[in-house]
């Protein structure tokens, strides 16, 4: 009887053991907490502005150290090349042909295998990859009349041992310029008249008309070169319908530092050293694994707390979650450049549902947001610093500009300090008087609908903006829309950002090229969204300013790069000073890496893995 | 019996057709766009997106797409995924082993644990063991897997460091060392699933036992002078297992649906993870294939459960 009672206690013992185990685990958990204070400072300091300096420095000064000190006692053993690099993405690679890719993760996955002619560094400068040098007007690579660009190619082999030639570049153009192939980067090749192989090591691109942005094609993540031999029969519809092409899309042959061992779409890509790579000896790791899936917070934990992986991509999580993880002391955040500017767009047309079909059409002016005083007051009332301090932490910093990258076009002329008194004064002066908590003028009450996508950060921002604007007598009704709808551009759905059936809306956007022309073109009158263009213009705020259009025309016709930068700044200043849109935060894509991994940096216009051939383990 | 099976299979055909039509319609009418990720990318203008839509066949009205899909499927072709641009069946084939390994093993363990606990709980009704087992099964019932998953991860992986939080699907088991690694990475996801599945099965086994324990044949067996142990194990358990076996059979298709939350949390590349990422990316062919296969399995296992019931319980006869 006795022993029977004893074993019925078994689950209790088990539960106790579990509890003990959990408590036994507490001390190691507390250890990092003790160091939290200094570590938190460490993560705050290098965050946005100091980061470039911090990451540039080790590359320059420390890199030679391991090679210079082979005689030292322990150093060489620890820095021995080889081993495996494990990278964690919370989105998973699904395809490795970048021209048919559907997201950043795919471009990044292809970056290890395929190369463009040149890539962008963390300072937005071009670094030659499959080219021997960057063509310029000075070295004769770019024609004086800007009608063509000539690239000299390096002599190298594909990973199958066959030589890389100009024919492969020509082929990549043919592949993507065929509309039925449906390349996602087709617009980057759109200005091209023809691509010809002058000789096996030289390729000339002729533009349809003089091109102010000659580095638009075959450069960066959208410009990776495919092997002609592998994709020859994949032009047009065959690109995705032919079985051989389907296989090729998942395992392209490349010229890069690594070649594919195995791809499990939606999960893991496994790479190994490419012995044919032209600098194969300088590549440190034997193997690279990019694992996808899960969520951003646990990806950061896997680097900083359990140290299972070396590097995690885009750990965009709220500051309150991120900072304790970074405080563990095992990892360094890597962030910089710009992922895009989080902005509030002002609707210049009237979204009033009472208008029916005419809702938000450009010919229906907004009852009060067309008044510069109201826009300026909103701009002055918003507390950008609070948004960054409370929500973004090391993943963003306040900005007054729409155009922040590259650095030479980031306008120094704008200010956006918070000034509630001035905002109130502007509204008083414009005749908006307080009636209860909300201002009104001629029966028009300052009540705005403010929409954005569903996202913890964005709902936090909405709450701050709502509180800010309440201080100046503007009532904000917030609305959050599923991201899949908000960003869909579906002409049948009323909740898209394109239709903008609200007074204010918030999202992130930025230029996709170091040349700002495509980005700045979207505030022209001709780009205004309306039912006439199925709401598919690029000007969702329906801002229309002849002064802006005239300056943009001058900018588009200018070929001198210095002058173009000046004009880009002026265009930015018009948008900011006229409060066509309200820039809030320059977001950076934060990565984390283990302290013993050296090399990861960032790049605004390229993959974060752009320099993966230089990554190495340090003692 | 044979006639019954044939009849059931014939009824299954319209069921499956209607199921597939409903799922297809929901997917087609739900908001969301496979190209949504490009919506704000100035490098991918509307013309290019339109061309990609054409390439993927999305420019046609959904009833037309459904008929085309049905034609394909009748030839055993589930189409190509919008994201990988490769056959859907390859994707599913890659995922199936991981799901069977993790979710299937969890189910097996849950069954093996739940049945003995259920038996003991019933035989020693209201004993301390029963109370504790009841308590834990209610915990298992009521605490969702995203919570247990996170707690286990925090305690055992992050604080104690016993298990990894990232499941490596490329791990090849070649020796004891890698085998041990494989066990370690499976412990947490399997525990989360076992806790949940055991809870339901335990309660079911217990109540089924209690129903039987009070029946006359038990008293008769005891009156014959059989030991308690023999009565319980030989007579009561076998009879009580009948409804439980059908329940277990009905649960098998859910293995193939994967465990969406747990797989996602621990980065197990199973079918559940595939399903949820495909839904998020509006990758219709993958979602259709998965749900359709799941529907087929459900119909089949329903039939198996019914047939099994007839085999196990002589009182049930089909005609």
């Amino acid at each position: 009887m006795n022993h029977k009672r004893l074993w019925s206690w078994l689950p209790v013992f088990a539960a106790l053991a579990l509890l003990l185990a959990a408590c036994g685990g507490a001390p190691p958990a507390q250890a990092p907490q003790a160091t939290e204070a200094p570590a938190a400072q460490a993560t705050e300091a290098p965050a946005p502005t100091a980061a470039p300096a911090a990451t540039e420095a080790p590359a320059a000064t420390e890199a030679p150290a391991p090679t210079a000190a082979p005689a030292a006692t322990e150093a060489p053993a620890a820095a021995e090349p080889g081993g495996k690099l494990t990278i964690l993405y919370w989105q998973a690679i699904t395809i490795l042909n970048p021209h048919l890719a559907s997201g950043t993760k795919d471009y990044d996955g292809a970056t290890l295998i395929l190369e463009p002619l040149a890539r962008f560094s963390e300072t937005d400068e071009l670094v030659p990859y499959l080219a021997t040098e960057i063509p310029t007007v000075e070295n004769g690579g770019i024609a004086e009349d800007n009608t063509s660009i000539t690239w000299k190619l390096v002599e190298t082999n594909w990973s199958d041992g066959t030589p890389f030639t100009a024919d492969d570049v020509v082929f990549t153009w043919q592949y993507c310029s065929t509309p039925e192939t449906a390349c996602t980067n087709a617009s980057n090749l759109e200005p091209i008249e023809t691509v010809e192989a002058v000789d096996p090591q030289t390729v000339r691109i002729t533009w349809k008309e003089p091109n102010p942005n000659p580095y638009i094609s075959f450069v960066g993540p959208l410009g990776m070169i495919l092997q002609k031999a592998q994709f020859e029969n994949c032009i047009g519809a065959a690109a995705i319908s032919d079985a051989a092409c389907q296989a090729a899309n998942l395992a392209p042959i490349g010229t890069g530092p690594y070649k594919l061992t195995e791809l499990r779409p939606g999960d893991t890509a496994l790479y190994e050293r490419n012995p044919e790579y032209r600098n194969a000896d300088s590549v440190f790791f034997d193997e690279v694994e990019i694992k996808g899936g899960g969520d951003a917070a646990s990806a950061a934990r896997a680097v900083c707390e359990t140290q299972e992986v070396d590097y995690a991509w885009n750990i965009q999580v709220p500051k309150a979650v991120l900072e304790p993880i970074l405080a563990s002391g095992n990892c360094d955040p890597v962030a910089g450049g710009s992922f895009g500017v989080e902005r509030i767009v002002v609707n210049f047309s009237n979204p009033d549902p009472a208008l029916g079909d005419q809702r938000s059409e450009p010919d229906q002016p907004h009852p009060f947001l067309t008044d510069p005083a109201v826009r300026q007051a909103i701009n002055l009332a918003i507390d950008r610093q609070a948004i960054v301090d409370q929500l973004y932490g090391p993943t963003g910093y306040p900005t007054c500009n729409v155009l922040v990258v590259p650095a030479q076009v980031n306008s120094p002329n704008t200010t956006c300090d918070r000034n509630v008194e001035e905002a109130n004064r502007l509204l008083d002066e414009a005749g908006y008087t307080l009636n209860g908590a909300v201002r009104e003028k001629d029966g028009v009450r300052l009540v705005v609908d403010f929409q954005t996508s569903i996202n913890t950060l964005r709902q936090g921002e909405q709450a701050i903006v709502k509180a800010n604007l309440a201080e100046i007598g503007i009532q904000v009704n917030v609305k959050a829309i599923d991201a899949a709808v908000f960003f869909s551009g579906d002409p049948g759905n009323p909740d898209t950002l394109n239709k903008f059936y609200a007074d204010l809306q918030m999202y992130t956007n930025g230029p996709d090229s170091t040349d700002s022309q495509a980005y700045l073109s979207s505030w022209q009158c001709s780009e205004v969204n309306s039912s006439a263009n199925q709401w598919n213009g690029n000007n969702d705020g329906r801002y229309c300013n002849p002064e802006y259009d005239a300056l943009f025309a001058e900018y588009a016709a200018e070929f001198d790069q210095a002058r173009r930068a000046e004009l880009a700044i002026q265009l930015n200043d018009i948008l900011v000073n006229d409060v066509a849109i309200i820039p809030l935060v320059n977001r950076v894509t934060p990565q984390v890496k283990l302290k013993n991994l050296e090399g990861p940096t960032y790049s605004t216009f390229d993959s974060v893995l752009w320099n993966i051939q230089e990554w190495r383990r340090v003692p | 019996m044979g006639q019954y099976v044939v009849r059931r299979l014939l009824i299954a055909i319209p069921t499956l057709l209607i199921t597939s039509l409903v799922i297809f319609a929901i997917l087609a009418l739900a908001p969301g766009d496979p190209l949504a990720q490009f919506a704000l990318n100035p490098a991918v203008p509307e013309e290019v997106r339109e061309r990609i839509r054409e390439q993927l066949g999305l420019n046609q009205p959904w009833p037309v797409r459904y008929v085309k899909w049905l034609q394909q499927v009748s030839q055993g072709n589930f189409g190509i995924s919008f994201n990988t641009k490769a056959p859907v069946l390859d994707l599913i084939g890659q995922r199936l082993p991981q799901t069977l390994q993790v979710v299937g093993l969890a189910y097996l363990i849950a069954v093996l644990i739940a049945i003995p606990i259920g038996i003991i709980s019933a035989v020693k009704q209201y004993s301390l063991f029963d109370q504790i087992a009841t308590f834990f099964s209610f915990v298992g019932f009521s605490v969702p897997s995203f919570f247990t998953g996170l707690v286990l991860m925090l305690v055992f992986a992050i604080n104690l460091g016993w298990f990894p939080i990232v499941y490596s699907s490329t791990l090849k088991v070649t020796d004891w060392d890698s085998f041990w690694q494989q066990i370690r990475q499976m412990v947490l996801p399997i525990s989360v699933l076992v806790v949940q599945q055991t809870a339901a099965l335990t309660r079911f086994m217990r109540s089924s036992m209690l129903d039987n324990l009070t029946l006359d044949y038990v008293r008769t067996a005891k009156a014959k002078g059989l030991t308690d142990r023999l009565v319980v194990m030989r007579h009561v358990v076998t009879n009580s297992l009948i409804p439980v076996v059908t329940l277990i059979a009905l649960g098998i298709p859910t293995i193939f649906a994967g465990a969406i939350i747990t797989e996602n949390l621990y980065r197990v590349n199973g079918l559940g993870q595939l399903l949820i990422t495909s839904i998020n990316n509006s990758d219709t062919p993958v979602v259709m294939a998965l749900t359709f296969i799941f529907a087929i399995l459900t119909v089949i296992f329903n039939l198996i459960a019914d047939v099994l019931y007839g085999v196990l319980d002589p009182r049930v006869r089909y005609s």
Side-chain angles (χ1 to χ4, degrees):
Chain A
M1 192 67 200
N2 237 342
H3 80 272
K4 271 182 189 168
R5 276 205 68 94
L6 197 73
W7 87 278
S8 66
W9 279 87
L10 212 82
V12 184
F13 291 139
L16 268 173
L18 210 88
L19 238 139
L20 275 170
C23 297
Q30 274 160 2
Q33 278 169 9
T35 58
E36 200 172 352
Q41 279 168 8
T43 55
E44 264 165 43
T49 48
T55 48
E56 266 169 52
T61 56
E62 280 171 34
T67 48
T73 46
E74 287 158 5
E80 197 71 49
K84 185 175 180 181
L85 171 69
T86 318
I87 295 174
L88 198 56
Y89 271 54
W90 49 264
Q91 289 187 325
I93 299 169
T94 52
I95 190 168
L96 284 171
N97 177 352
H99 303 293
L100 303 179
S102 55
T104 310
K105 60 208 166 76
D106 302 325
Y107 295 119
D108 287 0
T111 295
L112 278 73
I113 305 173
L114 297 166
E115 296 175 293
L117 299 180
R119 287 192 180 279
F120 294 102
S121 72
E122 71 269 33
T123 50
D124 305 329
E125 271 153 21
L126 282 169
V127 181
Y129 269 67
L130 283 175
T132 52
E133 60 174 358
I134 302 299
T136 58
V137 179
E138 287 74 38
N139 67 21
I142 297 177
E144 293 282 350
D145 57 359
N146 294 294
T147 51
S148 71
I149 180 169
T150 307
W151 295 84
K152 291 272 179 206
L153 308 178
V154 294
E155 286 189 33
T156 186
N157 283 344
W158 295 95
S159 59
D160 63 0
T162 57
F164 159 75
T165 69
D167 281 342
D168 294 308
V169 183
V170 175
F171 170 76
T172 304
W173 172 66
Q174 286 166 342
Y175 178 81
C176 276
S177 59
T178 306
E180 290 74 31
T181 315
C183 283
T184 43
N185 60 341
S187 66
N188 286 47
L189 303 175
E190 207 271 328
I192 297 178
E193 173 72 40
T194 180
V195 179
E196 52 197 323
V198 179
D199 62 57
Q201 249 44 65
T202 312
V203 63
R204 186 193 299 131
I205 303 169
T206 311
W207 310 109
K208 288 175 182 157
E209 49 195 60
N211 189 349
N213 181 15
Y215 308 120
I216 186 171
S217 310
F218 305 120
V219 171
L222 299 175
M224 290 183 240
I225 309 293
L226 297 176
Q227 191 196 35
K228 182 179 180 183
Q230 192 185 15
F231 285 91
E232 206 158 18
N233 299 320
C234 298
I235 295 182
I240 66 165
S241 59
D242 182 80
C245 298
Q246 289 170 352
N249 290 336
L250 298 178
I253 293 170
T255 52
Y258 294 96
K259 60 179 184 180
L260 189 74
T261 319
E262 189 188 0
L263 171 69
R264 294 176 183 228
D267 176 44
T268 310
L270 207 58
Y271 307 84
E272 63 185 345
R273 188 185 275 283
N274 171 11
E276 296 284 345
Y277 181 57
R278 52 193 179 282
N279 296 319
D281 296 341
S282 68
V283 175
F284 188 90
F285 294 100
D286 286 339
E287 271 186 293
V288 180
E289 178 177 334
I290 301 183
K291 167 87 181 173
D295 59 290
S298 74
R301 287 186 193 283
V303 179
C304 298
E305 292 182 341
T306 64
Q307 302 182 53
E308 283 165 57
V309 295
D310 297 299
Y311 178 88
W313 165 81
N314 196 5
I315 43 157
Q316 191 74 257
V317 284
K319 186 191 172 196
V321 178
L322 185 56
E323 287 200 332
I325 298 176
L326 293 180
S328 66
N330 303 316
C331 60
D332 291 321
V334 181
S338 173
F339 168 72
V341 173
E342 177 91 341
R343 78 278 305 281
I344 296 176
V345 182
V346 176
N347 197 348
F348 282 78
S349 62
N350 193 350
D352 186 354
L355 289 171
D357 280 355
Q358 290 302 301
R359 210 179 168 190
S360 272
E361 290 285 358
D363 54 358
Q364 300 289 336
H366 195 279
F368 53 86
L369 286 176
T370 44
D371 184 343
V374 178
R375 299 202 302 270
Q376 194 60 51
I378 294 174
N379 186 28
L380 285 169
I382 292 174
D383 193 346
R384 294 170 172 80
Q385 195 62 49
I387 291 173
V388 169
D389 288 347
Q390 292 173 27
L391 303 170
Y392 281 88
T395 67
Y397 52 97
T399 181
C400 311
N401 292 327
V402 183
L403 184 60
V404 295
V405 279
Q408 65 266 25
V409 296
N410 189 1
S411 169
N413 314 322
T414 51
T415 54
C416 50
D417 294 329
R418 185 166 198 240
N419 190 340
V420 178
E421 294 86 66
E422 174 66 11
N424 272 315
R425 195 191 61 76
L426 277 173
L427 290 173
D428 287 339
E429 213 167 65
Y432 294 92
T433 49
L434 273 176
N435 178 1
V438 182
R439 288 177 186 269
E440 64 173 41
K441 176 181 169 182
D442 307 332
V444 178
R445 284 160 55 82
L446 296 190
V447 178
V448 293
D449 287 337
F450 179 21
Q451 68 180 20
T452 189
S453 66
I454 296 174
N455 174 312
T456 323
L457 268 175
R458 293 222 162 98
Q459 269 68 70
E461 290 173 83
Q462 279 185 318
I464 292 177
V465 169
K466 184 182 168 98
N468 289 158
L469 297 192
E471 286 182 53
I472 58 167
I474 296 178
Q475 183 189 324
V476 177
N477 298 327
V478 296
K479 180 175 177 188
I481 301 160
D482 187 77
V485 174
F486 188 60
F487 294 112
S488 69
D490 177 1
N493 198 305
D495 286 329
T496 61
L497 73 87
N498 310 54
K499 280 194 177 163
F500 197 178
Y501 283 171
D503 303 291
L504 302 175
Q505 67 181 3
M506 180 167 62
Y507 59 86
T508 292
N509 200 359
D512 71 312
S513 147
T514 47
D515 187 80
S516 322
Q517 185 168 334
Y519 180 60
L520 289 170
S521 73
S522 55
W523 286 280
Q524 296 175 95
C525 301
S526 57
E527 291 288 329
V528 161
N529 290 15
S530 68
S531 58
N533 58 14
Q534 278 82 48
W535 310 96
N536 270 323
N538 291 311
N539 190 346
D540 50 346
R542 295 166 269 262
Y543 175 72
C544 182
N545 181 351
E547 191 198 342
Y548 185 88
D549 280 16
L551 194 65
F552 183 81
E554 189 188 340
Y555 167 74
E558 180 61 58
F559 285 88
D560 178 60
Q561 294 303 326
R563 178 68 187 143
R564 277 177 75 81
E566 263 171 52
L567 289 168
I569 288 178
Q570 286 176 29
L571 287 166
N572 170 76
D573 293 355
I574 292 180
L575 294 175
V576 171
N577 294 332
D578 203 16
V579 202
I581 71 171
I582 305 169
L584 302 174
V585 179
N586 179 18
R587 294 173 61 178
V588 293
T589 312
Q591 274 74 235
V592 282
K593 65 169 190 73
L594 281 183
K595 280 198 184 300
N596 69 3
L597 180 67
E598 190 179 273
T601 170
Y602 51 85
S603 178
T604 303
F605 299 107
D606 215 314
S607 161
V608 289
L609 309 179
W610 69 277
N611 64 342
I612 191 136
Q613 71 277 11
E614 292 166 12
W615 290 20
R616 52 182 57 246
R617 185 98 54 205
V618 291
Chain B
M1 186 73 158
Q3 227 180 3
Y4 171 78
V5 172
V6 171
R7 204 171 62 221
R8 283 284 300 267
L9 284 175
L10 287 177
I11 294 172
I13 294 171
T15 313
L16 289 173
L17 279 177
I18 293 170
T19 316
S20 67
L21 177 68
V22 169
I23 301 169
F24 202 96
I26 291 175
L27 286 174
L29 300 176
D33 178 2
L35 303 174
Q37 13 198 354
F38 294 132
L40 263 183
N41 190 340
V44 187
E46 183 54 28
E47 307 90 78
V48 174
R49 270 182 272 156
E50 200 47 52
R51 229 176 275 151
I52 298 173
R53 267 190 209 108
E54 246 167 66
Q55 187 196 39
L56 299 176
L58 284 168
N59 52 343
Q60 292 154 325
W62 74 265
V64 177
R65 280 192 278 143
Y66 176 69
V67 173
K68 284 194 165 175
W69 179 83
L70 216 55
Q71 277 172 349
Q72 274 186 340
V73 171
S74 61
Q75 295 157 12
N77 173 8
F78 278 89
I80 60 168
S81 153
F82 293 163
N83 277 312
T84 64
K85 314 276 196 294
V88 171
L89 283 180
D90 289 1
L91 260 185
I92 294 177
Q94 260 173 359
R95 302 291 185 124
L96 194 58
Q98 305 287 345
T99 281
L100 287 184
Q101 227 171 58
V102 175
V103 186
L105 193 59
Y107 197 65
L108 191 70
I109 294 174
V111 169
L112 292 181
I113 294 178
I115 290 175
I117 293 182
I119 295 172
I120 297 166
S121 287
V123 173
K124 311 232 178 258
Q125 199 187 4
Y126 304 131
S127 68
L128 191 64
F129 181 93
D130 185 28
Q131 306 281 9
I132 293 164
T134 306
F135 173 77
F136 277 107
S137 63
F138 276 107
V139 169
F141 262 131
S142 44
V143 181
S145 58
F146 64 82
F147 183 77
T148 30
L150 281 176
V151 169
L152 291 187
M153 192 190 262
L154 218 61
V155 172
F156 292 104
I158 291 167
N159 289 355
L160 291 176
W162 290 354
F163 308 108
I165 54 178
V166 180
Y167 185 95
S168 166
S169 53
T170 51
L171 182 71
K172 289 198 174 57
V173 179
T174 49
D175 48 18
W176 284 109
D177 206 36
S178 53
F179 179 70
W180 176 235
Q181 235 178 313
Q182 177 66 23
I183 299 284
R184 277 183 60 214
Q185 68 177 1
M186 280 165 63
V187 167
L188 287 182
I190 286 182
S191 310
V192 173
L193 295 170
V194 165
V195 165
Q196 268 197 324
Q197 286 163 343
T198 311
L201 281 174
T202 310
R203 299 308 295 166
F204 211 81
M205 187 68 207
R206 178 177 179 273
S207 67
S208 174
M209 283 287 289
L210 287 178
D211 283 348
N212 275 291
L213 275 171
T214 53
L215 292 183
D216 288 341
Y217 76 86
V218 179
R219 198 174 308 124
T220 314
K222 282 186 179 163
K224 278 200 304 183
L226 294 180
T227 58
D228 274 4
R229 192 182 185 83
L230 205 63
V231 173
V232 170
M233 298 309 287
R234 273 289 281 282
H235 299 282
V236 184
V237 169
T238 33
N239 280 319
S240 311
L241 271 176
I242 295 172
V244 176
V245 165
T246 49
L247 187 79
I248 292 170
L250 283 177
I252 289 175
T254 57
I255 297 175
F256 292 87
I260 292 178
I261 294 168
T262 314
E263 286 181 4
N264 226 22
L265 205 60
Y266 291 97
R267 297 176 168 82
V268 180
N269 63 330
L271 293 172
Q273 195 198 38
L274 181 65
L275 181 63
I276 194 70
T277 46
S278 303
I279 291 174
N280 284 339
N281 297 329
S282 308
D283 197 342
T284 324
V286 180
V287 180
M288 278 309 294
L290 281 174
T291 45
F292 193 63
I293 292 171
F294 184 51
I296 293 175
L297 286 174
T298 309
V299 167
I300 291 176
F301 276 92
N302 250 308
L303 181 58
I304 291 178
D306 286 350
V307 171
L308 212 58
Y309 205 82
V311 174
L312 292 176
D313 191 342
R315 288 168 299 182
V316 180
R317 280 286 165 265
Y318 301 108
S319 55

